[in-house]
Amino acid sequence: MPNPRLTGLGGGLFCAAVMFVLGSLDQLLFGASLTAYGVLFLPVCVLTAAWVRGADLVIAPVVVPIAFTVGLLPVADGDGFLSRLMGIVTALATEAGWLYGGTLVAGVIAVVRRIRLMNRRPGRTRMPV
């Protein structure tokens, strides 16, 4: 498995681009199934949190909800601008479980990685208790 290290901006762009592509594929293959979109969202959250570099770990739980919204653009119902905007807001409200779950997964992975990075710092001595 590749082990890229994305900057904060790169992680955000990666996550948003992948979610837009997955939203478009969901629209074509499944007829805009929001459940399928939510299931596809979780691995993207894991990859984003795993591939962002250590200095930018705080960005992972921030960009995944934004990317979820970007990916809803092709999936949301509506013909005009306001109708599509209402479809996005409705999808965000009805699929909040997937959104919160993915954000939680990204946050937990980021926190665990940060703790592991802090414990690996050179020169850190542990005092016996």
Side-chain angles (χ1 to χ4, degrees), residues 34-127:
L34 290 175
T35 303
Y37 178 77
V39 169
L40 293 171
F41 175 63
L42 296 179
V44 174
C45 294
V46 170
L47 289 177
T48 301
W51 285 352
V52 74
R53 65 184 187 165
D56 295 326
L57 281 172
V58 73
I59 201 72
V62 174
V63 298
V64 292
I66 297 169
F68 187 86
T69 306
V70 168
L72 283 176
L73 291 174
V75 176
D77 292 333
D79 294 330
F81 175 74
L82 291 177
S83 177
R84 175 79 47 146
L85 182 63
M86 184 55 85
I88 290 172
V89 170
T90 302
L92 285 171
T94 58
E95 303 303 314
W98 293 111
L99 179 61
Y100 291 150
T103 305
L104 180 66
V105 166
V108 167
I109 291 172
V111 167
V112 168
R113 283 189 59 207
R114 185 68 180 164
I115 290 170
R116 289 183 63 201
L117 283 173
M118 288 172 48
N119 286 337
R120 276 194 232 159
R121 285 192 182 153
R124 183 180 170 135
T125 58
R126 296 187 180 203
M127 301 182 94

Side-chain angles (χ1 to χ4, degrees), residues 2-23:
N3 195 15
R5 288 293 167 225
L6 302 170
T7 63
L9 179 61
L13 290 174
F14 164 77
C15 193
V18 170
M19 287 311 300
F20 186 80
V21 168
L22 289 177

